[in-house]
C-alpha cells in the first residue's frame, strides 16, 4: 500500500479517460524501457539501476529542451490497487512525487479506465501565479505522455487480439498487384497463414519482414532500417538484423523468417 505523501505540497492533478484495460496500463507503468523512445520530449535516455515486482529505479537524462539534466527516478507500484508513485530521488526536480491511481470504468476487464495523476512538490511555490504555471506545465506534459501511451497501449492490445484470433482463412500467397503501381514510400501489411508481414521498398528492392516486434508486438511496418540492414522497433529500440532476424543484444527472440517475394508477369507475390 502506497500512501499519498503528507509532507509534500499537493499542487494539482491531471485526469483522463483511456480506452484500454487495467492490464495494459499496469504493464505500461512497469515498462521503464519505452520512456526515451515513446516519450522523447520528456526523456533523452534511460539506464536501469534495479527493478522488480515493486517497480523500478532508473537513471534518466532529460532532453535539451527540458534542460538536459540528469535524474534518478524511482517508481513504486501497488499492483493490487492499480496505484503507482514516481519520485525524483536525485537531480532535476529532486523530491517531486507524482502519484497515479488507475480505476476501471464499467464492467470488470472492460477496456475503459480513468487515470488520476497527482503532482506533489517538496515546497509550495511562492505565489499562486507560479503554482498555476508549474501545474499548467505538468498537465500539458502529462497530456502528451498519455497521448503517446494511449497510442502504444491501444496498438499493443490490437496486436494481442489479432495474435489470439489468427485468421484461419488467411492465404499462403498474396498477389500484391502490378509492381509498377505499388507505393514505394510506404509499407503494405499482408496477413498470411504463416503470420503478419509487411512488404516495403528498401534500397531499390522489395523486401518483406515481420509486421510486429517479437518483444512486445511493437509496429515494425515503418520502422527505420539502417545501412547495415538492421531494423529498430519504435517502442523500445530493440534492433533486429533483417538477414537472420536476430536481436543485436540478445534481448528477445528473433524476427520470424519472412516469406519469399517474387515478380511474376509484372505482379509482386509474397508467400509460398
Ligand atoms: S516492442 Fe519492445 S522493442 Fe519492439
Ligand atoms: Fe509511457
Amino acid at each position: 500500500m502506497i500512501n499519498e505523501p503528507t509532507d509534500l505540497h499537493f499542487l494539482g492533478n491531471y485526469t483522463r479517460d483511456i480506452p484500454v484495460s487495467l492490464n495494459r496500463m499496469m504493464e505500461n507503468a512497469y515498462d521503464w524501457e519505452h520512456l526515451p523512445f515513446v516519450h522523447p520530449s520528456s526523456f533523452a535516455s534511460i539506464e536501469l539501476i534495479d527493478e522488480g515486482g515493486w517497480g523500478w529505479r532508473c537513471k534518466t537524462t532529460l532532453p535539451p529542451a527540458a534542460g538536459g539534466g540528469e535524474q534518478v527516478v524511482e517508481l513504486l507500484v501497488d499492483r493490487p490497487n492499480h496505484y503507482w508513485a514516481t519520485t525524483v530521488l536525485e537531480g532535476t526536480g529532486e523530491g517531486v512525487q507524482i502519484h497515479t491511481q488507475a480505476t476501471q470504468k464499467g464492467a470488470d476487464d472492460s477496456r475503459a479506465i480513468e487515470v488520476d495523476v497527482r503532482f506533489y512538490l517538496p515546497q509550495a511555490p511562492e505565489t499562486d501565479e507560479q503554482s498555476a504555471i508549474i501545474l499548467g506545465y505538468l498537465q500539458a506534459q502529462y497530456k502528451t505522455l498519455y497521448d503517446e501511451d494511449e497510442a502504444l497501449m491501444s496498438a499493443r492490445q490490437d496486436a494481442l487480439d489479432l495474435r489470439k484470433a489468427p485468421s484461419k482463412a488467411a492465404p499462403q500467397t498474396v498477389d500484391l498487384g502490378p509492381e509498377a503501381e505499388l507505393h514505394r514510400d510506404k509499407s503494405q501489411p499482408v496477413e498470411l497463414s504463416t503470420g503478419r508481414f509487411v512488404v516495403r521498398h528498401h534500397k531499390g528492392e522489395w523486401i518483406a519482414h515481420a509486421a510486429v516486434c517479437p518483444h512486445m508486438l511493437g509496429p515494425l511496418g515503418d520502422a527505420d532500417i539502417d545501412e547495415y540492414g538492421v531494423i529498430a522497433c519504435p517502442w523500445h529500440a530493440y534492433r533486429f538484423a533483417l538477414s537472420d532476424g536476430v536481436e543485436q543484444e540478445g534481448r528477445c527472440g528473433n524476427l520470424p523468417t519472412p516469406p519469399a517475394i517474387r515478380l511474376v508477369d509484372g505482379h509482386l507475390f509474397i508467400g509460398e
Side-chain angles (χ1 to χ4, degrees):
M1 174 96 182
I2 303 170
N3 293 315
E4 299 232 347
T6 51
D7 52 340
L8 300 180
H9 170 74
F10 173 63
L11 182 71
N13 67 341
Y14 169 72
T15 62
R16 164 180 191 138
D17 290 347
I18 312 179
V20 300
S21 66
L22 279 174
N23 275 346
R24 291 288 79 71
M25 189 67 251
M26 296 313 293
E27 180 181 77
N28 190 265
Y30 277 105
D31 179 7
W32 56 272
E33 235 178 341
H34 78 282
L35 297 177
F37 307 108
V38 175
H39 307 302
S41 62
S42 288
F43 301 92
S45 71
I46 196 156
E47 201 182 302
L48 181 68
I49 299 170
D50 197 10
E51 69 177 328
W54 54 270
W56 49 258
R57 198 173 309 120
C58 287
K59 206 184 247 188
T60 66
T61 51
L62 302 175
E70 295 195 350
Q71 295 178 320
V72 175
V73 176
E74 181 178 77
L75 183 127
L76 297 176
V77 185
D78 177 353
R79 196 197 265 270
N81 291 311
H82 310 113
Y83 190 96
W84 60 98
T86 311
T87 303
V88 181
L89 296 178
E90 284 172 36
T92 310
E94 186 172 318
V96 169
Q97 290 194 20
I98 295 167
H99 286 236
T100 307
Q101 174 73 66
T103 313
Q104 177 89 48
K105 300 191 85 178
D108 271 7
D109 79 11
S110 74
R111 292 175 186 174
I113 62 168
E114 183 196 65
V115 289
D116 179 9
V117 185
R118 301 172 66 80
F119 308 112
Y120 295 88
L121 306 182
Q123 273 120 28
E126 275 168 22
T127 63
D128 287 352
E129 201 186 345
Q130 279 178 0
S131 281
I133 291 170
I134 300 171
L135 180 60
Y137 173 83
L138 287 168
Q139 286 170 331
Q141 182 188 22
Y142 273 74
K143 177 182 183 310
T144 301
L145 288 169
Y146 275 100
D147 285 348
E148 291 160 346
D149 277 336
E150 182 174 319
L152 183 159
M153 292 187 286
S154 300
R156 174 157 161 75
Q157 188 64 58
D158 289 347
L160 284 165
D161 292 345
L162 276 172
R163 191 172 68 173
K164 231 194 259 167
S167 162
K168 295 213 170 58
Q172 287 183 311
T173 309
V174 168
D175 176 357
L176 295 163
E179 190 264 347
E181 290 170 21
L182 296 177
H183 282 290
R184 282 165 195 251
D185 49 0
K186 70 174 196 221
S187 67
Q188 182 160 339
V190 184
E191 185 161 357
L192 295 173
S193 54
T194 47
R196 293 169 60 210
F197 297 92
V198 295
V199 174
R200 64 200 277 196
H201 203 253
H202 176 68
K203 277 196 171 168
E205 59 174 346
W206 293 100
I207 62 166
H209 60 73
V212 293
C213 175
H215 176 222
M216 286 176 67
L217 309 181
L220 294 181
D222 297 305
D224 289 339
I225 301 172
D226 74 10
E227 57 184 309
Y228 305 105
V230 172
I231 189 167
C233 176
W235 285 358
H236 307 94
Y238 285 16
R239 298 165 58 254
F240 304 87
L242 289 176
S243 55
D244 58 7
V246 172
E247 204 284 314
Q248 300 299 280
E249 293 175 40
R251 293 175 285 190
C252 70
N254 296 356
L255 289 180
T257 307
I261 291 192
R262 55 191 192 283
L263 198 58
V264 180
D265 297 335
H267 280 225
L268 202 65
F269 287 83
I270 174 170
E272 297 304 307

